[in-house]
Amino acid sequence: MTLPTKAVLQQLEQIQKQASEELEKINDPKELQLWKVRYLGRKSRLTQVLRSLATLPLEERRKVGVRGNEVKNILESSLAEREKILEEARIASSLKYKKLDVTLPGQPLSVGRLHPITQTLEEICDIFKGMGFQVIEGPDVEWDYYNFEALNIPQEHPARDMFATLWVDAEVEGGKARLLRTHTSPVQIRLMEKKRPPIRVVVPGRCYRYEATDATHESMFYQVEGLAIDKNITMADLKGTLFEFCRCLFGEERKIRFRCDYFPFVEPGAEVAIECLACHGAGCRVCGYTGWVEILGAGMVHPDVLRRGGIDPKAYSGFAFGMGVERMPMLRYGIDDIRLFYGNDLRFLKQF
Ligand code: PHE
């Protein structure tokens, strides 16, 4: 059914008048919502009028359309205005009844924190920075060459058994296979290839080993490597540096043990252990019932390793060390399971 234009225009006037009058009287947000549905909703009279436009001749359609849209705009802006008035009234009344008490304590903001291992890494690097070391990094995915060959561990060398390796490539040919680095030592070679002595760096980073996890082993863990190369570097420099480091991290009182050890890429090689903090030397799960916890391997850089890095072992010498990072907070805080660090249990992590 089509109505004559005049009747339609009249209808629009009527809708506007009625809607405005009703709106004036609304004081409740819920009613406001109902009003919106009634006058602007899909089934409202206004919408129906606008829809029926298509049936009018072009001239009329324009006239009615313009007016219809005007009415719609007016209703929409009156609605927004009414909403604002109601909101202001709500705030005013809530302030009237609940006066603001400025003496109440504020709402605490919850602040995030760094992971205990990140904190430890920063602390370790800071100690070495204080001794003139630079902090650098290397890749997690490494070539067989850097992880093994260049470090005097050719294929079939028994020392490969020290490192249960996670391979990226199945084929190993002339050091060309990729693996997840089993220690941070490959960065030694990478740096020597690029930089001439004097070198003094520490290298924090993730390492990976194909091992069953237990209280003291994880398949992913952190190490910090150290490397110093210059003229006349001796074992005394190595020992002095490591003792100073242990004193800074664990305090003056802690007993430190410095012994011989073997690593193919150093000669002579050494190992540093400190008195177990969890049991104070009596023997427990953390120290494998020995009273001592090994925290790092070290030694004088092997001449062949220097040579492969393009450094003349007759002119230069150097020391290197590599430490396990998780051990440090375990010792310090008496944490007896390494898996806690990567279990993402907030009850544990929140304590640091
Ligand atoms: N890379 C050795 C390891 O992971 C540690 C080490 C570093 C030993 C440097 C000697 C010199 O066990």
Side-chain angles (χ1 to χ4, degrees):
M1 181 191 79
T2 43
L3 288 168
T5 311
K6 212 167 155 202
V8 179
L9 286 173
Q10 252 171 18
Q11 216 180 30
L12 285 172
E13 296 316 310
Q14 203 202 344
I15 291 171
Q16 189 194 331
K17 191 162 164 264
Q18 196 184 343
S20 302
E21 276 172 14
E22 274 183 36
L23 189 62
E24 287 293 302
K25 295 189 200 118
I26 292 176
N27 285 315
D28 175 65
K30 263 190 219 130
E31 273 183 47
L32 204 60
Q33 204 48 42
L34 292 175
W35 179 91
K36 190 176 168 188
V37 173
R38 206 156 52 239
Y39 290 102
L40 290 165
R42 266 187 302 123
K43 291 185 185 149
S44 66
R45 265 158 70 208
L46 180 59
T47 307
Q48 274 165 13
V49 169
L50 288 173
R51 267 203 209 120
S52 69
L53 283 182
T55 60
L56 295 178
L58 184 63
E59 248 324 282
E60 323 269 286
R61 194 190 305 168
R62 202 170 280 149
K63 237 191 261 167
V64 178
V66 167
R67 185 64 195 135
N69 279 324
E70 254 171 35
V71 171
K72 191 169 173 220
N73 288 339
I74 290 171
L75 292 189
E76 274 170 354
S77 62
S78 327
L79 171 68
E81 220 170 279
R82 194 73 201 160
E83 269 171 345
K84 207 172 128 203
I85 291 170
L86 289 191
E87 178 61 10
E88 274 163 9
R90 189 189 65 77
I91 292 171
S93 74
S94 73
L95 282 181
K96 198 157 86 197
Y97 295 112
K98 291 183 230 129
K99 275 196 191 127
L100 182 65
D101 183 351
V102 293
T103 66
L104 283 174
Q107 302 236 334
L109 287 176
S110 71
V111 181
R113 66 194 74 211
L114 295 176
H115 191 279
I117 296 302
T118 308
Q119 291 181 33
T120 310
L121 284 168
E122 286 187 354
E123 203 177 331
I124 293 171
C125 290
D126 278 347
I127 293 172
F128 285 108
K129 276 190 226 165
M131 293 193 253
F133 285 73
Q134 221 186 321
V135 180
I136 63 160
E137 285 180 41
D140 288 23
V141 176
E142 190 51 281
W143 296 106
D144 180 281
Y145 174 76
Y146 289 108
N147 197 81
F148 291 129
E149 300 249 331
L151 293 169
N152 284 343
I153 317 174
Q155 265 182 75
E156 316 303 333
H157 191 289
R160 288 210 176 196
D161 293 347
M162 288 162 70
F163 307 103
T165 308
L166 285 155
W167 294 94
V168 175
D169 296 324
E171 297 287 310
V172 189
E173 232 176 78
K176 288 218 185 80
R178 283 169 303 176
L179 45 77
L180 295 180
R181 67 174 173 197
T182 58
H183 51 175
T184 41
S185 301
V187 189
Q188 288 187 29
I189 310 284
R190 285 184 173 272
L191 183 71
M192 285 184 226
E193 285 178 350
K194 281 204 301 260
K195 196 178 170 328
R196 298 299 89 202
I199 287 174
R200 254 193 254 121
V201 295
V202 282
V203 189
R206 291 176 180 217
C207 303
Y208 307 82
R209 291 194 195 165
Y210 182 55
E211 275 175 338
T213 58
D214 62 28
T216 52
H217 296 86
E218 263 287 6
S219 46
M220 189 286 295
F221 55 94
Y222 280 85
Q223 283 192 344
V224 173
E225 190 83 6
L227 179 69
I229 301 174
D230 203 349
K231 295 204 163 94
N232 304 319
I233 295 240
T234 69
M235 194 87 171
D237 297 313
L238 171 62
K239 198 172 167 185
T241 305
L242 293 179
F243 272 51
E244 180 56 23
F245 166 73
C246 290
R247 272 196 293 270
C248 288
L249 200 64
F250 297 108
E252 305 275 333
E253 306 304 314
R254 191 61 67 80
K255 286 194 194 126
I256 305 166
R257 191 182 71 181
F258 196 78
R259 295 203 302 192
C260 294
D261 200 352
Y262 169 73
F263 300 94
F265 35 95
V266 287
E267 181 58 37
E271 163 230 281
V272 172
I274 68 163
E275 183 193 3
C276 180
L277 225 212
C279 63
H280 294 278
C284 67
R285 186 152 88 128
V286 176
C287 57
Y289 305 94
T290 61
W292 293 96
V293 179
E294 208 190 298
I295 57 165
L296 60 86
M300 301 306 291
V301 182
H302 196 290
D304 286 344
V305 173
L306 287 174
R307 222 173 274 125
R308 260 182 228 111
I311 291 171
D312 179 6
K314 290 210 186 72
Y316 293 101
S317 58
F319 67 70
F321 56 83
M323 63 182 78
V325 173
E326 288 80 2
R327 300 251 167 115
M328 313 297 182
M330 286 177 83
L331 279 170
R332 251 187 173 175
Y333 305 123
I335 298 162
D336 66 358
D337 197 324
I338 192 172
R339 292 168 292 192
L340 285 166
F341 290 117
Y342 306 113
N344 277 338
D345 186 335
L346 285 179
R347 290 169 304 176
F348 172 74
L349 295 173
K350 268 185 178 166
Q351 299 174 77
F352 300 94

